[in-house]
Amino acid sequence: MRKKEMMAMLLAGGQGSRLGILTMDKAKPAVAFGGKYRIIDFPMSNCVNSGVETVGVLTQYQPLTLNQHIGIGVPWDLDTRNGGVSILAPHQREGEKGEWYSGTANAIYQNIDYIDANKPEYVLILSGDHIYKMDYAAMLKYHKQNNCDVTIAVLEVSMEEASRFGIMNADENDKIYEFEEKPANPKSNLASMGIYIFTWDKLREALIEDNKIHSDSDFGKHIIPAMLNKGMTLYAYRFKDYWKDVGTIESYWAANMELIKTLPEFNLYEDFWKIYTNSNLQPPMYSGPNSEIKTSIVSEGCQVEGKVIHSVLSKNVVIEEGAVIKDSIIMEGCHIGKNAVIDRCIIDQNTNIGDNVVMGTGDNIPNEGKPNIYNTGITVIGSSTTVPDGIEIGKNCVIYGPTKADNYTDNKLPSGQSVIILEEAI
């Protein structure tokens, strides 16, 4: 096999626990976004648009949905014999005990043989759970121009936010001289985006050395500081376009709502930098004679008989007559019953909401079980859930499973409470 210039390793095994019930049965990169996409579509499409033809996707937590979505990479033209996309689950190497990926760098270390087989000069490390468009080819050009061992993509954040990130301290030429992981008193505002280009032979050596010291080898905690201590050349690559970590319920909801604007900051409709996804052909969207749709994204195969206002509907959603959907995200295959009112909610795929259900009412009381996750007034319904007719549901509520009327007191679920029904395995 001829030597490749650059290949990508896409870290997509994260649980995304701050997304709560949305990641109960799937990894964060597999969560739907913008009606027809999933979060992983964005870095995958960036690879294709940047000319990166070999992508390893490292999965771990609840990988089934993600694996089915990626398949053999057809939507991204990554179904090639010489390269393409490979799903890389934790596995046992010869002479070693099999183990889960225990850190970002450990995940790459466990796949050294896969990278060696592709013979790249450079390896691009990506996270599978951010929303952005980026030309990795331009970043590689910068890497080579500066004779870097490592190039780290950075965003300028406010100094108040800087303590939440890994911070790169760099000179006037953006050469990095120090890395600080979530510093209490940051010296700069250059926040790492978790996007790295490494010269492969240098990274390979660093991974092997660090594995002898840290079983949970991590790029930010171990590999990058070690390379700096060795005097290697590290540069910061400044990124100034749209980038969102949709890691919380509020940020996920807000990023979807931003897409609805007449001139959204993040444009999904540009021809020169398309976002590709695994989306089978669906019938056209249908709106009934009494329907009303305002400032919303409505995907293929939807049937709207009621009102949809400032909301995002994935494919094959049915909104029955008299129902009102406002400021909400309704994912694939959901059915919203007659005269239901859904206000500021996220409803995961294949959920059935009964007739005359009212959801998102009452006071903004944080969820009693997980107040750190559900606290901004957004009620979240998990995938394949059933909510029976006539139920009234408050804010910051969580519902999951085939619920029945007797799971609710007086047909109500007050703000901040949860109903979670886990079916016994047969």
Side-chain angles (χ1 to χ4, degrees), residues 120-426:
E121 293 183 55
Y122 308 101
V123 173
L124 170 68
I125 309 294
L126 303 171
S127 171
D129 53 8
H130 299 138
I131 307 297
Y132 66 107
K133 295 179 181 179
M134 185 176 184
D135 185 356
Y136 304 135
M139 185 175 172
L140 178 60
K141 182 179 180 181
Y142 179 88
H143 180 88
K144 293 192 289 187
Q145 285 175 341
N146 289 288
N147 295 313
C148 296
D149 298 307
V150 189
T151 299
I152 301 171
V154 298
L155 277 174
E156 293 185 21
V157 299
S158 68
M159 292 302 290
E160 291 75 22
E161 291 182 295
S163 60
R164 298 193 297 109
F165 295 89
I167 296 298
M168 303 295 155
N169 297 320
D171 64 19
E172 65 276 7
N173 297 314
D174 285 333
K175 184 176 182 180
I176 299 167
Y177 61 84
E178 184 181 27
F179 172 76
E180 297 180 286
E181 179 68 24
K182 298 181 179 179
N185 299 298
K187 299 174 187 175
S188 83
N189 66 339
L190 296 181
S192 171
M193 298 170 65
I195 299 170
Y196 316 107
I197 291 179
F198 289 90
T199 300
W200 172 232
D201 58 352
K202 300 295 179 63
L203 175 59
R204 191 182 193 280
E205 180 183 342
L207 291 171
I208 293 171
E209 287 184 7
D210 196 69
N211 183 65
K212 298 173 184 176
I213 305 169
H214 303 108
S215 60
D216 60 344
S217 185
D218 182 85
F219 285 110
K221 294 178 182 177
H222 307 125
I223 299 296
I224 292 170
M227 287 182 153
L228 279 171
N229 289 338
K230 283 191 170 185
M232 293 188 180
T233 303
L234 285 77
Y235 270 76
Y237 178 76
R238 294 175 186 255
F239 182 72
K240 297 183 179 180
D241 288 328
Y242 183 97
W243 180 89
K244 277 287 174 71
D245 179 358
V246 288
T248 66
I249 291 293
E250 174 67 22
S251 64
Y252 173 79
W253 178 87
N256 273 273
M257 293 299 108
E258 286 175 4
L259 299 175
I260 301 170
K261 296 178 181 177
T262 304
L263 294 174
E265 185 180 355
F266 187 69
N267 190 349
L268 288 173
Y269 307 105
E270 294 169 326
D271 287 334
F272 73 92
W273 200 271
K274 290 184 177 180
I275 303 300
Y276 302 93
T277 189
N278 186 349
S279 181
N280 297 326
L281 290 176
Q282 305 295 324
M285 187 275 286
Y286 171 79
S287 58
N290 298 317
S291 66
E292 183 179 340
I293 301 172
K294 291 183 178 180
T295 324
S296 296
I297 293 174
V298 181
S299 302
E300 304 100 318
C302 287
Q303 178 181 334
V304 179
E305 303 285 355
K307 293 183 179 181
V308 179
I309 304 167
H310 199 256
S311 295
V312 176
L313 273 57
S314 294
K315 62 184 180 181
N316 295 331
V317 170
V318 176
I319 309 297
E320 294 282 10
E321 191 168 356
V324 178
I325 312 298
K326 182 180 179 183
D327 295 329
S328 294
I329 301 166
I330 315 294
M331 299 189 197
E332 177 182 350
C334 289
H335 187 283
I336 311 299
K338 294 179 180 179
N339 302 313
V341 177
I342 311 296
D343 188 0
R344 195 173 162 86
C345 297
I346 300 173
I347 301 180
D348 207 346
Q349 61 190 31
N350 300 321
T351 285
N352 185 26
I353 305 297
D355 297 344
N356 301 303
V357 169
V358 178
M359 190 180 298
T361 65
D363 297 327
N364 186 17
I365 300 171
N367 187 269
E368 60 185 16
K370 295 188 175 180
N372 59 319
I373 294 178
Y374 309 102
N375 54 38
T376 59
I378 300 170
T379 281
V380 184
I381 314 299
S383 63
S384 301
T385 289
T386 301
V387 178
D389 296 346
I391 303 298
E392 183 179 328
I393 299 164
K395 299 180 185 296
N396 296 315
C397 291
V398 180
I399 303 175
Y400 181 88
T403 71
K404 299 178 181 178
D406 57 9
N407 297 125
Y408 304 86
T409 302
D410 297 328
N411 287 341
K412 292 183 179 181
L413 185 67
S415 293
Q417 295 192 16
S418 303
V419 175
I420 297 178
I421 307 297
L422 300 177
E423 293 184 294
E424 294 291 333
I426 298 175

Side-chain angles (χ1 to χ4, degrees), residues 53-83:
E53 298 177 345
T54 303
V55 181
V57 180
L58 286 70
T59 63
Q60 181 156 281
Y61 172 81
Q62 294 281 22
L64 180 60
T65 300
L66 194 62
N67 293 351
Q68 291 174 334
H69 180 68
I70 293 172
I72 60 172
V74 173
W76 303 274
D77 287 332
L78 289 172
D79 54 331
T80 60
R81 185 171 296 178
N82 183 23

